[in-house]
Amino acid sequence: MAVTLEQAQRVGCVCLKALLRFAFMVANNLVAIPSYVLYLIMLQPLRVLDSQSFWYIEGVLFKWLLAMVASWGWWAGYTVVEWGDDVNAVSEDEAMVLVNHQATGDVCTLMMCLQDKGTVVRQMMWLMDHIFKYTNFGIVSLIHGDFFIRQGRAHRDQQLVLLKEHLERYYRSRNRKWIVLFPEGGFLRKRRETSQAFAKKNNLPFLKHVTLPRLGATQVILETLVAPQENGTPAGGDAVIRESKSKGLQWVIDATIAYPKGEPLDIQTWILGYRQPTVTHVHYRIFPVKDVPAEPEALTHWLYQRFIEKEDLLTHFYETGAFPPPQGQTKAISREMTLSNLWLVGIQSFAFLSGGMWYCIFQYFYHCLF
């Protein structure tokens, strides 16, 4: 089939836009990540004198870095609509966030939709595959205190021991509040067949849109971070009443990410912006941690139920384009998540000005020494 002039122009525009966006992303990383590292090196005396203030500043810089990643998608027209419980109600409490995993764009989506959730982003800890340690963002996650987990049965027991030690050493000392993990242990397309075979063998439900979660990391987090007594109690609707300020993990947030037509965004699309503007949908449910069983078999059943519910939510979404209303209600309420372009421009400007400042400083010392 012959290509028309109009089609060729359209393809040319998409390629040019993708090239320019890629160049901007590279420049963004070259100024922002070294600046983050250098600022924290300069602030090491503060870390000794007042570690709480040091980690507060680090958290602010970390949030700004994630906002830069969010801006790449936001300016390409990739937005988020939120459903279900209002997680702002528990943004100042400790919570574990369980997320389904379809593609690399899931992480970018969370980086975007959590930006307007108070102090969550600067006080959160991520559990991610160890391969991310070797990406451009790896050094940032290492400094921030995220945990890189190695997948595979051969490493599983050792990784859970290391996770427990990591949580005990860094979670409270750095004033972390939310911890985000993907219990499926991999992308949907990679794990679906194995999960379905396991489900068939063990007489479990057949899942198409999610896979059966793994227990290990969830159990370690609950055992390590939950205080002996928890008394958070969600009220009706989206409201949440906090009966005490007891320390420890208080909530489990079940987050379900859905993409139109089941076509997830990946990091390449997020960066290059060659896909048409897309609305990603995120559904939240909040559970008091006191209602989550501690015994392994009961916890496994509870976790499986959450992902069976995710399957039902996603099935309804793909059939209707919306998530179902909460039980007892007739209409589901959605909320469009927004970011301030002025704020994003301000953060980007700060990054590039910081990069220029550090370049001038290095140039000055280079000329002084040589």
Side-chain angles (χ1 to χ4, degrees), residues 107-152:
V107 175
C108 301
T109 297
L110 291 174
M111 288 181 178
M112 176 186 286
C113 66
L114 296 180
Q115 283 291 328
D116 66 345
K117 307 296 187 294
T119 63
V120 163
V121 175
R122 69 175 177 84
Q123 292 183 291
M124 72 194 308
M125 178 181 287
W126 296 77
L127 265 64
M128 59 187 76
D129 192 281
H130 80 288
I131 196 67
F132 285 100
K133 185 188 297 185
Y134 308 106
T135 66
N136 59 317
F137 215 76
I139 183 64
V140 174
S141 292
L142 279 171
I143 294 172
H144 184 69
D146 296 328
F147 184 77
F148 299 95
I149 192 163
R150 186 181 294 272
Q151 302 293 342

mmCIF file of all heavy atoms in Angstrom, residues 107-152:
data_model
loop_
_atom_site.group_PDB
_atom_site.id
_atom_site.type_symbol
_atom_site.label_atom_id
_atom_site.label_comp_id
_atom_site.label_asym_id
_atom_site.label_seq_id
_atom_site.Cartn_x
_atom_site.Cartn_y
_atom_site.Cartn_z
ATOM 1 N N VAL A 107 5.495 1.764 37.214
ATOM 2 C CA VAL A 107 6.282 2.556 38.159
ATOM 3 C C VAL A 107 6.136 4.039 37.848
ATOM 4 O O VAL A 107 5.957 4.868 38.747
ATOM 5 C CB VAL A 107 7.764 2.128 38.121
ATOM 6 C CG1 VAL A 107 8.607 3.027 39.020
ATOM 7 C CG2 VAL A 107 7.910 0.675 38.539
ATOM 8 N N CYS A 108 6.201 4.388 36.564
ATOM 9 C CA CYS A 108 6.042 5.791 36.164
ATOM 10 C C CYS A 108 4.657 6.309 36.544
ATOM 11 O O CYS A 108 4.512 7.457 36.986
ATOM 12 C CB CYS A 108 6.265 5.936 34.661
ATOM 13 S SG CYS A 108 7.890 5.404 34.082
ATOM 14 N N THR A 109 3.638 5.464 36.367
ATOM 15 C CA THR A 109 2.279 5.850 36.734
ATOM 16 C C THR A 109 2.178 6.160 38.220
ATOM 17 O O THR A 109 1.571 7.159 38.632
ATOM 18 C CB THR A 109 1.292 4.728 36.363
ATOM 19 O OG1 THR A 109 1.298 4.545 34.941
ATOM 20 C CG2 THR A 109 -0.116 5.048 36.821
ATOM 21 N N LEU A 110 2.795 5.312 39.062
ATOM 22 C CA LEU A 110 2.783 5.559 40.502
ATOM 23 C C LEU A 110 3.561 6.816 40.844
ATOM 24 O O LEU A 110 3.165 7.587 41.738
ATOM 25 C CB LEU A 110 3.368 4.358 41.245
ATOM 26 C CG LEU A 110 2.518 3.078 41.227
ATOM 27 C CD1 LEU A 110 3.283 1.928 41.871
ATOM 28 C CD2 LEU A 110 1.191 3.293 41.934
ATOM 29 N N MET A 111 4.691 7.044 40.171
ATOM 30 C CA MET A 111 5.466 8.268 40.404
ATOM 31 C C MET A 111 4.616 9.508 40.141
ATOM 32 O O MET A 111 4.767 10.526 40.812
ATOM 33 C CB MET A 111 6.704 8.295 39.509
ATOM 34 C CG MET A 111 7.788 7.315 39.906
ATOM 35 S SD MET A 111 9.214 7.438 38.793
ATOM 36 C CE MET A 111 10.340 6.231 39.545
ATOM 37 N N MET A 112 3.712 9.403 39.165
ATOM 38 C CA MET A 112 2.844 10.530 38.843
ATOM 39 C C MET A 112 1.701 10.666 39.843
ATOM 40 O O MET A 112 1.500 11.730 40.438
ATOM 41 C CB MET A 112 2.267 10.382 37.436
ATOM 42 C CG MET A 112 1.268 11.467 37.054
ATOM 43 S SD MET A 112 0.475 11.192 35.456
ATOM 44 C CE MET A 112 1.825 11.608 34.353
ATOM 45 N N CYS A 113 0.934 9.576 40.051
ATOM 46 C CA CYS A 113 -0.304 9.717 40.802
ATOM 47 C C CYS A 113 -0.087 9.902 42.305
ATOM 48 O O CYS A 113 -1.007 10.312 43.016
ATOM 49 C CB CYS A 113 -1.246 8.547 40.529
ATOM 50 S SG CYS A 113 -0.673 6.959 41.109
ATOM 51 N N LEU A 114 1.123 9.612 42.805
ATOM 52 C CA LEU A 114 1.397 9.829 44.228
ATOM 53 C C LEU A 114 1.993 11.208 44.512
ATOM 54 O O LEU A 114 2.199 11.555 45.675
ATOM 55 C CB LEU A 114 2.341 8.738 44.752
ATOM 56 C CG LEU A 114 1.792 7.306 44.717
ATOM 57 C CD1 LEU A 114 2.821 6.328 45.272
ATOM 58 C CD2 LEU A 114 0.479 7.193 45.497
ATOM 59 N N GLN A 115 2.242 11.990 43.468
ATOM 60 C CA GLN A 115 2.850 13.303 43.670
ATOM 61 C C GLN A 115 1.974 14.234 44.509
ATOM 62 O O GLN A 115 2.488 15.086 45.244
ATOM 63 C CB GLN A 115 3.144 13.965 42.317
ATOM 64 C CG GLN A 115 4.357 13.422 41.601
ATOM 65 C CD GLN A 115 5.669 13.773 42.282
ATOM 66 O OE1 GLN A 115 5.804 14.820 42.896
ATOM 67 N NE2 GLN A 115 6.644 12.882 42.177
ATOM 68 N N ASP A 116 0.657 14.089 44.401
ATOM 69 C CA ASP A 116 -0.236 14.995 45.132
ATOM 70 C C ASP A 116 -0.757 14.384 46.428
ATOM 71 O O ASP A 116 -1.766 14.832 46.965
ATOM 72 C CB ASP A 116 -1.410 15.427 44.237
ATOM 73 C CG ASP A 116 -2.331 14.266 43.887
ATOM 74 O OD1 ASP A 116 -1.925 13.098 44.082
ATOM 75 O OD2 ASP A 116 -3.462 14.527 43.419
ATOM 76 N N LYS A 117 -0.040 13.374 46.952
ATOM 77 C CA LYS A 117 -0.481 12.690 48.177
ATOM 78 C C LYS A 117 0.372 13.127 49.375
ATOM 79 O O LYS A 117 0.959 12.308 50.078
ATOM 80 C CB LYS A 117 -0.408 11.168 48.010
ATOM 81 C CG LYS A 117 -1.144 10.632 46.787
ATOM 82 C CD LYS A 117 -2.633 10.885 46.855
ATOM 83 C CE LYS A 117 -3.394 10.216 45.724
ATOM 84 N NZ LYS A 117 -3.098 10.755 44.399
ATOM 85 N N GLY A 118 0.474 14.420 49.581
ATOM 86 C CA GLY A 118 1.195 14.937 50.746
ATOM 87 C C GLY A 118 2.664 14.568 50.734
ATOM 88 O O GLY A 118 3.375 14.764 49.742
ATOM 89 N N THR A 119 3.126 14.010 51.852
ATOM 90 C CA THR A 119 4.556 13.688 52.013
ATOM 91 C C THR A 119 4.899 12.275 51.555
ATOM 92 O O THR A 119 6.025 11.820 51.759
ATOM 93 C CB THR A 119 4.963 13.842 53.497
ATOM 94 O OG1 THR A 119 4.227 12.895 54.289
ATOM 95 C CG2 THR A 119 4.682 15.246 54.004
ATOM 96 N N VAL A 120 3.942 11.593 50.931
ATOM 97 C CA VAL A 120 4.119 10.173 50.617
ATOM 98 C C VAL A 120 5.382 9.914 49.803
ATOM 99 O O VAL A 120 6.194 9.046 50.141
ATOM 100 C CB VAL A 120 2.886 9.631 49.872
ATOM 101 C CG1 VAL A 120 3.202 8.312 49.184
ATOM 102 C CG2 VAL A 120 1.732 9.427 50.852
ATOM 103 N N VAL A 121 5.582 10.648 48.699
ATOM 104 C CA VAL A 121 6.680 10.332 47.783
ATOM 105 C C VAL A 121 8.035 10.494 48.448
ATOM 106 O O VAL A 121 8.921 9.648 48.288
ATOM 107 C CB VAL A 121 6.592 11.200 46.511
ATOM 108 C CG1 VAL A 121 7.805 10.955 45.620
ATOM 109 C CG2 VAL A 121 5.318 10.869 45.734
ATOM 110 N N ARG A 122 8.210 11.551 49.210
ATOM 111 C CA ARG A 122 9.532 11.751 49.819
ATOM 112 C C ARG A 122 9.785 10.805 50.993
ATOM 113 O O ARG A 122 10.927 10.630 51.410
ATOM 114 C CB ARG A 122 9.711 13.207 50.254
ATOM 115 C CG ARG A 122 8.867 13.665 51.425
ATOM 116 C CD ARG A 122 9.237 15.099 51.810
ATOM 117 N NE ARG A 122 8.416 15.620 52.882
ATOM 118 C CZ ARG A 122 8.641 15.409 54.169
ATOM 119 N NH1 ARG A 122 9.658 14.642 54.556
ATOM 120 N NH2 ARG A 122 7.849 15.942 55.082
ATOM 121 N N GLN A 123 8.739 10.149 51.510
ATOM 122 C CA GLN A 123 8.904 9.252 52.648
ATOM 123 C C GLN A 123 8.578 7.800 52.301
ATOM 124 O O GLN A 123 8.314 7.003 53.184
ATOM 125 C CB GLN A 123 8.020 9.712 53.813
ATOM 126 C CG GLN A 123 8.469 11.038 54.429
ATOM 127 C CD GLN A 123 7.610 11.421 55.622
ATOM 128 O OE1 GLN A 123 6.431 11.763 55.487
ATOM 129 N NE2 GLN A 123 8.196 11.360 56.793
ATOM 130 N N MET A 124 8.639 7.457 51.016
ATOM 131 C CA MET A 124 8.281 6.107 50.625
ATOM 132 C C MET A 124 9.525 5.282 50.326
ATOM 133 O O MET A 124 10.595 5.804 50.032
ATOM 134 C CB MET A 124 7.347 6.127 49.421
ATOM 135 C CG MET A 124 7.996 6.524 48.110
ATOM 136 S SD MET A 124 6.773 6.925 46.814
ATOM 137 C CE MET A 124 5.734 5.477 46.852
ATOM 138 N N MET A 125 9.351 3.981 50.402
ATOM 139 C CA MET A 125 10.403 3.031 50.050
ATOM 140 C C MET A 125 9.840 2.094 48.980
ATOM 141 O O MET A 125 8.711 1.641 49.079
ATOM 142 C CB MET A 125 10.846 2.225 51.282
ATOM 143 C CG MET A 125 11.921 1.172 50.992
ATOM 144 S SD MET A 125 12.396 0.206 52.464
ATOM 145 C CE MET A 125 13.362 1.406 53.376
ATOM 146 N N TRP A 126 10.659 1.823 47.960
ATOM 147 C CA TRP A 126 10.257 0.947 46.866
ATOM 148 C C TRP A 126 10.958 -0.398 46.980
ATOM 149 O O TRP A 126 12.140 -0.462 47.320
ATOM 150 C CB TRP A 126 10.631 1.559 45.522
ATOM 151 C CG TRP A 126 9.943 2.838 45.171
ATOM 152 C CD1 TRP A 126 10.232 4.084 45.660
ATOM 153 C CD2 TRP A 126 8.869 3.022 44.243
ATOM 154 N NE1 TRP A 126 9.406 5.024 45.103
ATOM 155 C CE2 TRP A 126 8.558 4.404 44.230
ATOM 156 C CE3 TRP A 126 8.150 2.155 43.428
ATOM 157 C CZ2 TRP A 126 7.552 4.924 43.418
ATOM 158 C CZ3 TRP A 126 7.139 2.680 42.621
ATOM 159 C CH2 TRP A 126 6.856 4.055 42.620
ATOM 160 N N LEU A 127 10.232 -1.465 46.668
ATOM 161 C CA LEU A 127 10.839 -2.768 46.434
ATOM 162 C C LEU A 127 10.793 -3.015 44.932
ATOM 163 O O LEU A 127 9.717 -2.999 44.339
ATOM 164 C CB LEU A 127 10.072 -3.879 47.152
ATOM 165 C CG LEU A 127 10.595 -4.306 48.536
ATOM 166 C CD1 LEU A 127 10.482 -3.160 49.517
ATOM 167 C CD2 LEU A 127 9.859 -5.530 49.017
ATOM 168 N N MET A 128 11.960 -3.204 44.325
ATOM 169 C CA MET A 128 12.006 -3.367 42.873
ATOM 170 C C MET A 128 13.027 -4.421 42.488
ATOM 171 O O MET A 128 13.895 -4.793 43.278
ATOM 172 C CB MET A 128 12.338 -2.029 42.211
ATOM 173 C CG MET A 128 13.662 -1.417 42.633
ATOM 174 S SD MET A 128 13.897 0.254 41.982
ATOM 175 C CE MET A 128 12.809 1.186 43.076
ATOM 176 N N ASP A 129 12.897 -4.903 41.253
ATOM 177 C CA ASP A 129 13.813 -5.913 40.749
ATOM 178 C C ASP A 129 15.245 -5.386 40.760
ATOM 179 O O ASP A 129 15.488 -4.209 40.471
ATOM 180 C CB ASP A 129 13.416 -6.309 39.329
ATOM 181 C CG ASP A 129 14.139 -7.562 38.861
ATOM 182 O OD1 ASP A 129 15.313 -7.450 38.464
ATOM 183 O OD2 ASP A 129 13.533 -8.652 38.902
ATOM 184 N N HIS A 130 16.198 -6.268 41.065
ATOM 185 C CA HIS A 130 17.579 -5.837 41.224
ATOM 186 C C HIS A 130 18.174 -5.252 39.944
ATOM 187 O O HIS A 130 19.149 -4.510 39.992
ATOM 188 C CB HIS A 130 18.450 -7.015 41.685
ATOM 189 C CG HIS A 130 18.850 -7.941 40.582
ATOM 190 N ND1 HIS A 130 17.973 -8.817 39.965
ATOM 191 C CD2 HIS A 130 20.048 -8.116 39.960
ATOM 192 C CE1 HIS A 130 18.600 -9.493 39.031
ATOM 193 N NE2 HIS A 130 19.851 -9.103 38.998
ATOM 194 N N ILE A 131 17.562 -5.553 38.788
ATOM 195 C CA ILE A 131 18.097 -5.037 37.529
ATOM 196 C C ILE A 131 18.039 -3.518 37.490
ATOM 197 O O ILE A 131 18.859 -2.863 36.824
ATOM 198 C CB ILE A 131 17.333 -5.653 36.326
ATOM 199 C CG1 ILE A 131 18.122 -5.449 35.026
ATOM 200 C CG2 ILE A 131 15.938 -5.073 36.218
ATOM 201 C CD1 ILE A 131 19.413 -6.209 34.956
ATOM 202 N N PHE A 132 17.077 -2.911 38.238
ATOM 203 C CA PHE A 132 16.959 -1.456 38.255
ATOM 204 C C PHE A 132 18.152 -0.797 38.941
ATOM 205 O O PHE A 132 18.390 0.401 38.768
ATOM 206 C CB PHE A 132 15.655 -1.038 38.935
ATOM 207 C CG PHE A 132 14.438 -1.251 38.090
ATOM 208 C CD1 PHE A 132 13.625 -2.355 38.266
ATOM 209 C CD2 PHE A 132 14.094 -0.349 37.093
ATOM 210 C CE1 PHE A 132 12.513 -2.568 37.478
ATOM 211 C CE2 PHE A 132 12.981 -0.534 36.300
ATOM 212 C CZ PHE A 132 12.176 -1.651 36.490
ATOM 213 N N LYS A 133 18.893 -1.569 39.717
ATOM 214 C CA LYS A 133 20.091 -1.029 40.366
ATOM 215 C C LYS A 133 21.107 -0.545 39.331
ATOM 216 O O LYS A 133 21.895 0.373 39.591
ATOM 217 C CB LYS A 133 20.733 -2.097 41.255
ATOM 218 C CG LYS A 133 21.925 -1.604 42.070
ATOM 219 C CD LYS A 133 22.638 -2.751 42.777
ATOM 220 C CE LYS A 133 21.766 -3.440 43.786
ATOM 221 N NZ LYS A 133 22.503 -4.482 44.557
ATOM 222 N N TYR A 134 21.062 -1.137 38.149
ATOM 223 C CA TYR A 134 22.054 -0.841 37.121
ATOM 224 C C TYR A 134 21.537 0.147 36.077
ATOM 225 O O TYR A 134 22.157 0.335 35.040
ATOM 226 C CB TYR A 134 22.494 -2.147 36.454
ATOM 227 C CG TYR A 134 22.925 -3.185 37.468
ATOM 228 C CD1 TYR A 134 22.106 -4.274 37.764
ATOM 229 C CD2 TYR A 134 24.123 -3.050 38.169
ATOM 230 C CE1 TYR A 134 22.480 -5.212 38.718
ATOM 231 C CE2 TYR A 134 24.499 -3.985 39.132
ATOM 232 C CZ TYR A 134 23.672 -5.058 39.395
ATOM 233 O OH TYR A 134 24.037 -5.980 40.348
ATOM 234 N N THR A 135 20.401 0.780 36.348
ATOM 235 C CA THR A 135 19.889 1.814 35.452
ATOM 236 C C THR A 135 20.396 3.176 35.909
ATOM 237 O O THR A 135 21.061 3.306 36.936
ATOM 238 C CB THR A 135 18.355 1.814 35.455
ATOM 239 O OG1 THR A 135 17.886 2.200 36.761
ATOM 240 C CG2 THR A 135 17.807 0.432 35.117
ATOM 241 N N ASN A 136 20.053 4.192 35.127
ATOM 242 C CA ASN A 136 20.487 5.550 35.467
ATOM 243 C C ASN A 136 19.940 5.995 36.820
ATOM 244 O O ASN A 136 20.554 6.818 37.512
ATOM 245 C CB ASN A 136 20.034 6.533 34.381
ATOM 246 C CG ASN A 136 18.523 6.544 34.208
ATOM 247 O OD1 ASN A 136 17.881 5.500 34.199
ATOM 248 N ND2 ASN A 136 17.940 7.713 34.071
ATOM 249 N N PHE A 137 18.775 5.455 37.219
ATOM 250 C CA PHE A 137 18.149 5.862 38.479
ATOM 251 C C PHE A 137 18.617 5.017 39.657
ATOM 252 O O PHE A 137 18.249 5.268 40.799
ATOM 253 C CB PHE A 137 16.620 5.757 38.349
ATOM 254 C CG PHE A 137 15.870 6.818 39.101
ATOM 255 C CD1 PHE A 137 15.799 8.112 38.621
ATOM 256 C CD2 PHE A 137 15.235 6.528 40.290
ATOM 257 C CE1 PHE A 137 15.107 9.099 39.313
ATOM 258 C CE2 PHE A 137 14.531 7.492 40.996
ATOM 259 C CZ PHE A 137 14.473 8.793 40.500
ATOM 260 N N GLY A 138 19.468 4.016 39.383
ATOM 261 C CA GLY A 138 19.891 3.108 40.441
ATOM 262 C C GLY A 138 20.597 3.782 41.585
ATOM 263 O O GLY A 138 20.347 3.482 42.761
ATOM 264 N N ILE A 139 21.492 4.727 41.275
ATOM 265 C CA ILE A 139 22.255 5.414 42.321
ATOM 266 C C ILE A 139 21.325 6.209 43.231
ATOM 267 O O ILE A 139 21.526 6.287 44.444
ATOM 268 C CB ILE A 139 23.338 6.334 41.701
ATOM 269 C CG1 ILE A 139 24.179 6.995 42.784
ATOM 270 C CG2 ILE A 139 22.723 7.387 40.796
ATOM 271 C CD1 ILE A 139 24.996 6.037 43.620
ATOM 272 N N VAL A 140 20.267 6.778 42.642
ATOM 273 C CA VAL A 140 19.300 7.540 43.434
ATOM 274 C C VAL A 140 18.563 6.612 44.399
ATOM 275 O O VAL A 140 18.423 6.925 45.596
ATOM 276 C CB VAL A 140 18.301 8.260 42.513
ATOM 277 C CG1 VAL A 140 17.203 8.938 43.339
ATOM 278 C CG2 VAL A 140 19.024 9.285 41.648
ATOM 279 N N SER A 141 18.097 5.477 43.901
ATOM 280 C CA SER A 141 17.377 4.525 44.751
ATOM 281 C C SER A 141 18.272 3.939 45.839
ATOM 282 O O SER A 141 17.814 3.694 46.959
ATOM 283 C CB SER A 141 16.783 3.404 43.892
ATOM 284 O OG SER A 141 15.762 3.905 43.062
ATOM 285 N N LEU A 142 19.534 3.721 45.514
ATOM 286 C CA LEU A 142 20.474 3.220 46.523
ATOM 287 C C LEU A 142 20.629 4.213 47.667
ATOM 288 O O LEU A 142 20.596 3.845 48.841
ATOM 289 C CB LEU A 142 21.825 2.940 45.874
ATOM 290 C CG LEU A 142 21.985 1.611 45.132
ATOM 291 C CD1 LEU A 142 23.301 1.591 44.367
ATOM 292 C CD2 LEU A 142 21.931 0.435 46.107
ATOM 293 N N ILE A 143 20.805 5.486 47.314
ATOM 294 C CA ILE A 143 20.972 6.516 48.347
ATOM 295 C C ILE A 143 19.685 6.679 49.148
ATOM 296 O O ILE A 143 19.717 6.802 50.384
ATOM 297 C CB ILE A 143 21.381 7.856 47.703
ATOM 298 C CG1 ILE A 143 22.780 7.743 47.085
ATOM 299 C CG2 ILE A 143 21.353 8.988 48.742
ATOM 300 C CD1 ILE A 143 23.196 8.951 46.267
ATOM 301 N N HIS A 144 18.555 6.667 48.456
ATOM 302 C CA HIS A 144 17.273 6.868 49.132
ATOM 303 C C HIS A 144 16.953 5.720 50.084
ATOM 304 O O HIS A 144 16.251 5.916 51.078
ATOM 305 C CB HIS A 144 16.165 7.004 48.085
ATOM 306 C CG HIS A 144 14.818 7.297 48.647
ATOM 307 N ND1 HIS A 144 14.488 8.506 49.237
ATOM 308 C CD2 HIS A 144 13.690 6.530 48.725
ATOM 309 C CE1 HIS A 144 13.234 8.469 49.642
ATOM 310 N NE2 HIS A 144 12.725 7.283 49.348
ATOM 311 N N GLY A 145 17.469 4.524 49.787
ATOM 312 C CA GLY A 145 17.237 3.384 50.670
ATOM 313 C C GLY A 145 16.204 2.414 50.170
ATOM 314 O O GLY A 145 15.630 1.651 50.964
ATOM 315 N N ASP A 146 15.929 2.409 48.859
ATOM 316 C CA ASP A 146 15.032 1.405 48.296
ATOM 317 C C ASP A 146 15.714 0.034 48.327
ATOM 318 O O ASP A 146 16.936 -0.057 48.451
ATOM 319 C CB ASP A 146 14.657 1.775 46.857
ATOM 320 C CG ASP A 146 13.876 3.077 46.782
ATOM 321 O OD1 ASP A 146 13.119 3.367 47.734
ATOM 322 O OD2 ASP A 146 14.032 3.816 45.789
ATOM 323 N N PHE A 147 14.899 -1.018 48.187
ATOM 324 C CA PHE A 147 15.453 -2.373 48.256
ATOM 325 C C PHE A 147 15.339 -3.052 46.901
ATOM 326 O O PHE A 147 14.269 -3.090 46.291
ATOM 327 C CB PHE A 147 14.714 -3.211 49.305
ATOM 328 C CG PHE A 147 15.293 -4.586 49.484
ATOM 329 C CD1 PHE A 147 16.462 -4.760 50.212
ATOM 330 C CD2 PHE A 147 14.678 -5.695 48.919
ATOM 331 C CE1 PHE A 147 17.016 -6.033 50.376
ATOM 332 C CE2 PHE A 147 15.217 -6.966 49.082
ATOM 333 C CZ PHE A 147 16.394 -7.127 49.806
ATOM 334 N N PHE A 148 16.455 -3.579 46.430
ATOM 335 C CA PHE A 148 16.493 -4.293 45.155
ATOM 336 C C PHE A 148 16.439 -5.791 45.452
ATOM 337 O O PHE A 148 17.329 -6.327 46.119
ATOM 338 C CB PHE A 148 17.769 -3.961 44.390
ATOM 339 C CG PHE A 148 17.894 -2.493 44.055
ATOM 340 C CD1 PHE A 148 18.615 -1.633 44.879
ATOM 341 C CD2 PHE A 148 17.282 -1.966 42.931
ATOM 342 C CE1 PHE A 148 18.728 -0.283 44.580
ATOM 343 C CE2 PHE A 148 17.390 -0.622 42.620
ATOM 344 C CZ PHE A 148 18.112 0.218 43.447
ATOM 345 N N ILE A 149 15.405 -6.447 44.942
ATOM 346 C CA ILE A 149 15.204 -7.854 45.256
ATOM 347 C C ILE A 149 15.524 -8.711 44.037
ATOM 348 O O ILE A 149 15.109 -8.409 42.917
ATOM 349 C CB ILE A 149 13.757 -8.096 45.753
ATOM 350 C CG1 ILE A 149 13.608 -9.487 46.353
ATOM 351 C CG2 ILE A 149 12.730 -7.845 44.655
ATOM 352 C CD1 ILE A 149 12.360 -9.646 47.205
ATOM 353 N N ARG A 150 16.287 -9.763 44.254
ATOM 354 C CA ARG A 150 16.666 -10.672 43.174
ATOM 355 C C ARG A 150 15.624 -11.779 43.080
ATOM 356 O O ARG A 150 15.334 -12.459 44.067
ATOM 357 C CB ARG A 150 18.046 -11.260 43.452
ATOM 358 C CG ARG A 150 18.603 -12.116 42.314
ATOM 359 C CD ARG A 150 19.951 -12.673 42.697
ATOM 360 N NE ARG A 150 20.950 -11.635 42.831
ATOM 361 C CZ ARG A 150 21.692 -11.179 41.816
ATOM 362 N NH1 ARG A 150 21.542 -11.693 40.612
ATOM 363 N NH2 ARG A 150 22.590 -10.238 42.023
ATOM 364 N N GLN A 151 15.059 -11.952 41.890
ATOM 365 C CA GLN A 151 14.016 -12.952 41.687
ATOM 366 C C GLN A 151 14.638 -14.341 41.489
ATOM 367 O O GLN A 151 15.807 -14.486 41.169
ATOM 368 C CB GLN A 151 13.171 -12.588 40.460
ATOM 369 C CG GLN A 151 12.518 -11.213 40.539
ATOM 370 C CD GLN A 151 11.451 -11.107 41.603
ATOM 371 O OE1 GLN A 151 10.943 -12.112 42.088
ATOM 372 N NE2 GLN A 151 11.093 -9.877 41.975
ATOM 373 N N GLY A 152 13.829 -15.370 41.684
ATOM 374 C CA GLY A 152 14.282 -16.741 41.459
ATOM 375 C C GLY A 152 14.303 -17.551 42.737
ATOM 376 O O GLY A 152 14.652 -17.048 43.815
#
